[in-house]
Amino acid sequence: MNKTLARLIDSDSTLTDFQKAVYHTVALIPRGTTWTYRQVAQAIGRPGAVRAVGNALNKNPFAPRVPCHRVIKSDGSLGGFAHGPRAKQALLKKEGVVY
């Protein structure tokens, strides 16, 4: 993640510390790679907060710089996306992830 994005996330006073942690972590997911909501929750030290991760990503004000489309469900399905599943699938396909 670039320093400008990190500063932007950190300086947003409307975000909770939890949301900031989620956005910092998701911003590190490489193009063409997916993580699960559970992996994000574990990475921020909140393994029981899987649904909260999804809720935070649904409100992601930094998309596409914070690539929430790269986060999927543990069962391998796409999960939610603010712009709908087709848009999420199209973004992943563009990055070389095929579903």
Side-chain angles (χ1 to χ4, degrees), residues 18-61:
F18 179 84
Q19 289 170 314
K20 290 176 184 181
V22 169
Y23 300 146
H24 278 287
T25 300
V26 172
L28 299 174
I29 301 172
R31 181 180 180 87
T33 304
T34 59
W35 281 24
T36 65
Y37 296 100
R38 182 171 314 282
Q39 287 174 305
V40 174
Q42 290 171 339
I44 65 170
R46 300 282 303 273
V50 176
R51 285 186 185 215
V53 166
N55 287 332
L57 293 176
N58 188 51
K59 298 173 179 141
N60 177 10

